[in-house]
Amino acid sequence: MKAIFRREFKAYFRSPIGFIFLAAFFFYASLMFVFINLNSQTTLMKYFFSNISLIFIFVIPILTMRTFAEEKKSKTDQLLLTAPVKISGIVLGKFFAAVCVLLIAVVATMFYILVLNSYGEPVFSEIFIGYLGLFLMGTFFISIGLFLSSLTQSQVIAAVSTLAIIFFLWFSSSLNFQFSNMMDGAFHWLGVTLDWLIEFLAINNRFTDFTLGVLNFVPVFYFVSLTALFLLLTVRVIEKRRWK
């Protein structure tokens, strides 16, 4: 796994992808910090976290699109699959490489805390909980991107499908679409179940606690468990490919 991690992490900065991701994230985060915190002269960062989380929807698909799709297209995945490395090691190596790039981006914005501290009294516990939520959400998005990249050899399809799923999960709670109102009679239970499922999966609902500086078990479990689920699904997809 270490060899895969080193190879993938270096690959991000041998191509423009890593630099594009970091530049886009830091530029957008800086704009939000200036407009939300500096202009308003507030040390509260809940609106900052709510806004910069949106950039993940667009930049993480770029970060993950090449992970498996590129190797499948160039046929180098055959060398990887025949190597004496566990499939889980391959997946986790690629996952942690992308997570490290994400971590660099998130940690770089912690410079803003020093700026806030220079003219106010920020509540550091709330700020770090916000950063924890941002990081957990980013790792969840990465796991989705890895899974979808493992299903195709087209980087474009991997990126667009990842964007579509993340976009749906983020805004599903805002659609105000009720299946229970459409399904009456014998299928009413199905409509209620679908409404509950959409409400449960809505990322925005889970991320809100972090932006408020509240550390609850449910949102943490939500992000960690779903990240593990998509990583497991990715392992299963790659295992099927190895035995073909």
Side-chain angles (χ1 to χ4, degrees):
M1 187 181 79
K2 291 181 180 179
I4 301 295
F5 168 79
R6 287 195 296 267
R7 170 189 172 224
E8 291 296 314
F9 184 74
K10 291 178 181 178
Y12 278 118
F13 298 100
R14 287 173 181 163
S15 67
I17 292 177
F19 296 104
I20 291 173
F21 174 81
L22 293 175
F25 178 78
F26 196 67
F27 175 74
Y28 183 78
S30 298
L31 284 179
M32 292 300 101
F33 181 70
V34 170
F35 290 142
I36 294 171
N37 291 91
L38 295 187
N39 282 352
S40 303
Q41 296 184 346
T42 177
T43 59
L44 294 176
M45 296 189 72
K46 61 179 181 179
Y47 298 114
F48 169 78
F49 288 124
S50 297
N51 281 276
I52 66 169
S53 59
L54 294 174
I55 192 63
F56 279 168
I57 299 175
F58 302 98
V59 296
I60 284 184
I62 297 174
L63 186 68
T64 60
M65 64 182 184
R66 56 165 293 278
T67 48
F68 289 103
E70 183 182 45
E71 295 201 24
K72 188 175 181 181
K73 184 176 182 179
S74 61
K75 305 301 182 183
T76 56
D77 62 325
Q78 299 302 319
L79 296 174
L80 195 61
L81 294 176
T82 55
V85 183
K86 291 183 178 179
I87 299 298
S88 58
I90 296 173
V91 173
L92 289 177
K94 290 177 176 287
F95 172 72
F96 285 125
V99 167
C100 279
V101 178
L102 169 71
L103 189 59
I104 292 171
V106 172
V107 169
T109 64
M110 289 185 176
F111 166 76
Y112 305 147
I113 301 175
L114 300 177
V115 177
L116 292 178
N117 196 45
S118 67
Y119 71 87
E121 296 181 357
V123 182
F124 293 106
S125 59
E126 293 182 358
I127 292 174
F128 285 117
I129 289 173
Y131 272 111
L132 173 63
L134 195 66
F135 177 72
L136 290 176
M137 185 180 67
T139 58
F140 174 42
F141 289 174
I142 288 172
S143 69
I144 294 175
L146 258 67
F147 171 65
L148 294 170
S149 182
S150 70
L151 296 175
T152 180
Q153 64 179 11
S154 169
Q155 294 186 49
V156 174
I157 292 176
V160 172
S161 58
T162 302
L163 172 64
I165 288 181
I166 294 175
F167 191 87
F168 172 77
L169 291 176
W170 184 268
F171 291 103
S172 59
S173 62
S174 304
L175 296 177
N176 294 322
F177 186 83
Q178 297 292 321
F179 285 98
S180 57
N181 293 336
M182 298 179 58
M183 298 180 177
D184 296 325
F187 293 99
H188 182 69
W189 66 270
L190 179 59
V192 172
T193 303
L194 290 174
D195 289 340
W196 175 86
L197 183 62
I198 291 176
E199 185 71 16
F200 174 78
L201 292 176
I203 296 172
N204 202 14
N205 294 343
R206 305 302 171 185
F207 186 61
T208 299
D209 283 349
F210 290 106
T211 64
L212 297 175
V214 178
L215 185 60
N216 287 332
F217 171 76
V218 173
V220 173
F221 177 77
Y222 169 88
F223 285 118
V224 173
S225 60
L226 287 181
T227 298
L229 173 62
F230 276 97
L231 290 176
L232 179 62
L233 292 174
T234 306
V235 170
R236 292 291 178 259
V237 170
I238 304 301
E239 281 181 343
K240 286 184 178 180
R241 190 182 305 167
R242 169 175 274 185
W243 296 111
K244 281 185 178 180

